[in-house]
Amino acid sequence: MGLIYGNWKSNGSKELISQFQETPFAEARGLTFAIALPATLLTCALPPGLKKGAQNVSAYGPGAYTGEVHAGMLLESGATFSLVGHSERRQIFSETAEHTSLKIHHLWRAGLSGVFCVGETLQERESGQLPTILHRQLNALLPIQGDLLIAYEPVWAIGTGRAAGPSEAEEAHAIIESWFLDQGLHPPAILYGGSVSTENAAALARVGRVAGFLIGGASLKPSSLLAIGQAFASVRQSSTPSP
Ligand code: PGA
């Protein structure tokens, strides 16, 4: 019922994984927990109840691509998914729409699932470009040939402590859903990401279109990750979300 995904970014260690052993993720009913790990930790076993994924994948297959980790390597590590197109990859590492397209298609060919991240800058939102930006990013998915989640992550909300409000998340999730409907496709589950915390998780969970969260900073603490999931689940159990 709720998809609670963590993104450790360039953080974490074997020691941090061992801290997650003591937290009862597997007992949280109706929730799927997952962590997008740094590449060096991908071969580590995660505790029961935590799915393992990567944060990035090569836009190429095997070969002379120094520093790259291709989709087949992720599969062999036991990862079941990878993030693609995170705004830090797009902004700091100049990842283009073409890169995101190559990456997601490599994942699908390897039988892995993609968590495709989209989101606008503050300037883009304020100048009325939200639909245009999201559509342009989503176009890289075509043709859709495998398993997919979308993470809507407004750039201005990532790592800033300023999460989108429920109506801002609702608006963007509705735009994403209608893009899929326009392609004649059933929309996949859409996560919200950007400064999700134990304080704002319940309010965001009340947005019916939010299928779960992609959590950066707060996912580094097992008790916070679990508490965010529990907040999501308790809202969904106690109310019929809108719309
Ligand atoms: P944050 O990061 O929760 O620390 O804002 C979210 C993300 O980048 O996926």
Side-chain angles (χ1 to χ4, degrees), residues 178-221:
S178 58
W179 181 87
F180 279 92
L181 295 171
D182 288 347
Q183 314 300 319
L185 298 166
H186 186 70
I190 307 170
L191 312 180
Y192 167 79
S195 294
V196 175
S197 68
T198 48
E199 284 81 48
N200 59 29
L204 287 160
R206 284 192 193 94
V207 180
R209 288 191 159 98
V210 170
F213 299 128
L214 180 57
I215 306 154
S219 73
L220 293 166
K221 216 170 142 202

Side-chain angles (χ1 to χ4, degrees), residues 5-6 33 49 51 53 85 92 104 108 111-112 114 120 123 141-142 149 152 167 171 176-177 213 219 226 234 238 243:
Y5 278 53
F33 285 96
K51 274 174 48 168
I92 306 171
I104 193 95
W108 286 335
L112 292 166
E120 80 292 358
Q123 190 264 329
L141 292 167
L142 297 173
L149 293 177
Y152 167 62
S167 62
E171 180 188 11
I176 295 166
E177 279 182 18
F213 299 128
S219 73
L226 183 65
S234 67
S238 66

Side-chain angles (χ1 to χ4, degrees), residues 7 9 86 88 153 157-159 194-196 214-217:
N7 171 13
K9 310 192 179 187
H86 189 279
E88 286 151 17
E153 298 205 300
I158 296 175
S195 294
V196 175
L214 180 57
I215 306 154

Side-chain angles (χ1 to χ4, degrees), residues 1 12 17 26 29 36 69 125 147 191 193 202 212 235:
M1 156 235 295
I17 290 180
R29 291 237 193 96
V69 177
R125 181 176 267 266
D147 198 47
L191 312 180
V235 167

